[in-house]
Amino acid sequence: MSEILTIAEAARRIAARQLSPVELTRAHLARIGALNGKLDAFLVVTEERALADARAAEARQMAGTLRGPLDGIPIAHKDIYNTANIRTTAHSRLLEHNVPAADAHTVRLWAEAGAVMLGKLATHEFAFGGPSWDLPWPPARNPWNTDHFTAGSSSGTGAAVAAGLILGGTGSDTGGSIRGPAALCGIAGIKPTYGLCSRAGILPLAYTLDHAGPLAWTAEDCALLLQAMAGHDPADPASANRPVPHLTADLNKGARGLRIGVVRHFFEDDHRVSDATLAGINAAVDFFRKEGAEVRDIRLSPALDYHAVGYLIMLTEAFTLHAPWLRTRFRDYAEMFRDRVAMAALVTGSDITQAHRRRRLLCQEMAAAMAELDILISAAAPGEAPRIDEVPKWTSMEKPSFTMPFNVTGQPAVSVCAGFGAGGLPVAVQLIGKPFQDATVLRAAHAFESGTAHRARRPALAMAA
Amino acid sequence: MSTDITEAELAAALARNGVSLSPEEVRALLPGARIMQGLISRVNAPLPREAEPALIFTPNQAGQDR
């Protein structure tokens, strides 16, 4: 089969016995065989495991005991998610031979939902830095143009989904590591509310900013994936002990009645985006207005305030985690990781306490700004993907991030494709919701995707395979 | 706080944290260190005395309250 399905469509066909999970899995393994040499999205392909998973799903299909919409769906995991008896390296020399004994909580949940695991995906080292060529494996490349960057750190997931190697995959997001690759690879990716998904069994980067979440071709697919990985886990101290919302119940309610705030100064003044990105965001604003949403501009603290707080906390927590190895095996890390994390050496105890104090004030500011709103709109990335060999080491520290503000506040935020730039690569818009209103964010994203033609376009490389 | 950090100051900060690098390696970090000093300076703008950290101590460490 040459057609690349969404999860929703594949699930419908599997449920109707029009599609064999084994046939679907074989098709995706063939696509991986044809394209991974150009994309370097997979670090490990678990073909035997995938076929075993697919046969089990097919047996349930025939028996009428399918477990839900993920049963028989080909997925893969970012290589910071522990997988029992399957190497989990964090794309790092330091964990090159690390084989966990148990699955991460979320890996287990997807397996229990019947998902077919195709393997482990490239990441920036320990979910930070990158792209790096001084590691045992090369960085993933963007399927829209393999000379270009995927963003990171969920780089392999972004590339694999965009190229149709998998229908969905896991990511993690400490400062934008789900939404960045989603933006540059032209797919959908949601950073859920902090605490909605367990981080147990996922290699941490920064405890108070780390989020687990999915990437897929559409927001609807993200909703299906997130539904299956959300929920309380006592093994994660930040896990929220509350019922998991029904993430697809309101998906088709459209945008009418939504109250939307546009954080225009973030992407017009604080960090000016490209013309194509600005056009994409403005088109999204026009779409929501025409659909009957109430839309108005709002003003928050400068993006750099959120960025500075997030960066100090992220680097300090990452340094603390990695200190034993940074002190003894500094040069075993990639330059991109070690040089950036080393900056935490400049942070004093007073500085980090001040960052956490300011974090609370920013969360309060955001909550007040959203009191009469359901959704915020901002940029997800500054523009189209740059060339992969022209990504500067320090720019991400210097220019305020569009994604970090919502790691600082813990709100749910999704990146969806908002068009294409002059270079033929995707641009994106970010939609943000109130804490634990992940369903509303996905509803808005699904409405936008359904009202535009962007989901009809795949990378040429993916269509040729 | 000044963003004008010297090579010696950066080397000292790294050494205080247990990271010993060659002079060439320290020099390569200086552009990043200057950016970092700017971020630190921004975070240290005055705050009201009552601003509590986003992380507060909770006696219930098992997390049942969440």
Side-chain angles (χ1 to χ4, degrees):
Chain A
M1 60 185 291
S2 58
E3 187 182 14
I4 305 171
L5 302 173
T6 62
I7 293 173
E9 178 58 22
R12 274 190 286 273
R13 294 188 192 182
I14 289 170
R17 297 190 185 175
Q18 294 167 349
L19 177 63
S20 150
V22 173
E23 182 187 329
L24 180 65
T25 298
R26 287 194 192 284
H28 281 275
L29 288 169
R31 294 185 66 80
I32 293 168
L35 294 179
N36 196 50
K38 296 174 184 166
L39 296 173
D40 294 317
F42 273 84
L43 299 184
V44 172
V45 180
T46 53
E47 182 169 348
E48 284 184 25
R49 159 73 181 269
L51 289 170
D53 286 351
R55 288 189 197 101
E58 192 152 307
R60 291 189 291 272
Q61 180 190 41
M62 291 300 118
T65 58
L66 284 170
R67 294 172 177 171
L70 293 196
D71 211 343
I73 299 298
I75 58 89
H77 293 293
K78 181 176 182 176
D79 206 29
I80 63 166
Y81 281 66
N82 281 345
T83 41
N85 305 314
I86 298 169
R87 197 175 62 173
T88 300
T89 67
H91 212 124
S92 177
R93 184 172 290 107
L94 289 132
L95 292 181
E96 193 169 357
H97 306 293
N98 175 52
V99 180
D103 284 337
H105 182 76
T106 44
V107 168
R108 184 171 57 76
L109 290 178
W110 277 13
E112 288 174 356
V116 174
M117 195 185 79
L118 270 57
K120 302 300 292 291
L121 296 161
T123 167
H124 290 173
E125 186 176 29
F126 288 106
F128 186 59
S132 296
W133 281 265
D134 50 350
L135 290 171
W137 309 273
R141 288 172 178 271
N142 195 317
W144 295 91
N145 183 333
T146 55
D147 289 333
H148 286 247
F149 189 36
T150 53
S153 64
S154 307
S155 49
T157 317
V161 168
L165 307 187
I166 51 175
L167 298 187
T170 46
S172 65
D173 194 317
T174 307
S177 286
I178 287 173
R179 292 159 288 159
L184 296 199
C185 295
I187 63 172
I190 182 166
K191 178 198 79 63
T193 303
Y194 186 76
L196 187 66
C197 293
S198 171
R199 301 160 306 155
I202 302 171
L203 291 162
L205 175 63
Y207 301 108
T208 68
L209 296 165
D210 287 345
H211 300 65
L215 298 92
W217 185 246
T218 65
E220 181 181 23
D221 287 357
C222 283
L224 296 170
L225 292 166
L226 180 56
Q227 190 78 61
M229 67 191 291
H232 180 58
D233 175 16
D236 177 354
S239 178
N241 191 358
R242 53 191 295 156
V244 177
H246 196 312
L247 297 171
T248 54
D250 292 341
L251 209 55
N252 290 309
K253 279 197 171 174
R256 178 167 297 281
L258 289 176
R259 301 164 301 169
I260 297 177
V262 183
V263 199
R264 192 166 293 281
H265 69 91
F266 272 16
F267 56 87
E268 285 195 353
D269 304 327
D270 299 355
H271 183 174
R272 177 83 183 183
V273 295
S274 73
D275 290 347
T277 296
L278 188 58
I281 295 170
N282 285 334
V285 169
D286 289 345
F287 166 83
F288 284 113
R289 198 170 271 133
K290 283 177 190 163
E291 289 295 304
E294 295 172 29
V295 186
R296 61 184 169 90
D297 286 1
I298 69 154
R299 192 146 198 103
L300 299 167
S301 293
L304 193 55
D305 284 2
Y306 288 88
H307 177 84
V309 164
Y311 238 88
L312 249 71
I313 294 172
M314 177 171 69
L315 291 180
T316 306
E317 292 186 13
F319 187 97
T320 304
L321 265 161
H322 288 273
W325 280 339
L326 286 168
R327 288 169 182 148
T328 57
R329 300 181 62 183
F330 189 78
R331 291 159 199 90
D332 283 343
Y333 288 99
E335 178 186 336
M336 280 286 208
F337 180 94
R338 70 189 187 223
D339 283 8
R340 290 181 188 174
V341 174
M343 292 301 110
L346 297 170
V347 179
T348 66
S350 169
D351 296 333
I352 196 63
T353 301
Q354 188 79 347
H356 282 295
R357 293 175 74 211
R358 192 169 295 281
R359 184 179 191 182
R360 180 181 293 276
L361 292 182
L362 291 172
C363 289
Q364 289 170 344
E365 170 190 76
M366 188 71 78
M370 288 206 73
E372 304 296 325
L373 296 171
D374 303 302
I375 294 288
L376 297 181
I377 289 181
S378 183
E384 294 174 73
R387 284 185 59 88
I388 195 168
D389 55 359
E390 292 179 358
V391 179
K393 193 194 306 185
W394 304 115
T395 301
S396 69
M397 279 178 63
E398 190 166 31
K399 296 273 184 80
S401 161
F402 298 110
T403 46
M404 180 62 95
F406 310 107
N407 295 79
V408 169
T409 62
Q411 294 164 265
V414 63
S415 172
V416 290
C417 184
F420 296 86
L425 291 123
V427 295
V429 61
Q430 184 178 197
L431 306 174
I432 304 103
K434 293 176 182 173
F436 297 104
Q437 298 300 313
D438 303 66
T440 306
V441 175
L442 290 162
R443 169 189 160 194
H446 179 62
F448 177 64
E449 285 182 342
S450 302
T452 62
H454 307 317
R455 292 304 70 204
R457 184 166 162 185
R458 282 271 187 179
L461 169 148
M463 300 315 292
Chain B
M1 181 182 291
S2 168
T3 58
D4 191 17
I5 186 170
T6 66
E7 194 177 323
E9 288 168 335
L10 177 55
L14 290 162
R16 192 168 58 243
N17 282 278
V19 179
S20 299
L21 303 182
S22 70
E24 292 74 25
E25 288 172 323
V26 172
R27 208 167 300 131
L29 298 183
L30 269 176
R34 290 182 177 130
I35 297 168
M36 192 67 185
Q37 292 287 81
L39 298 179
I40 292 169
S41 177
R42 193 153 189 111
V43 162
N44 276 297
L47 290 175
R49 187 176 298 277
E50 60 271 19
E52 291 259 353
L55 296 174
I56 56 164
F57 172 74
T58 167
N60 184 354
Q61 292 297 306
Q64 292 97 326
D65 289 345
R66 287 184 57 90

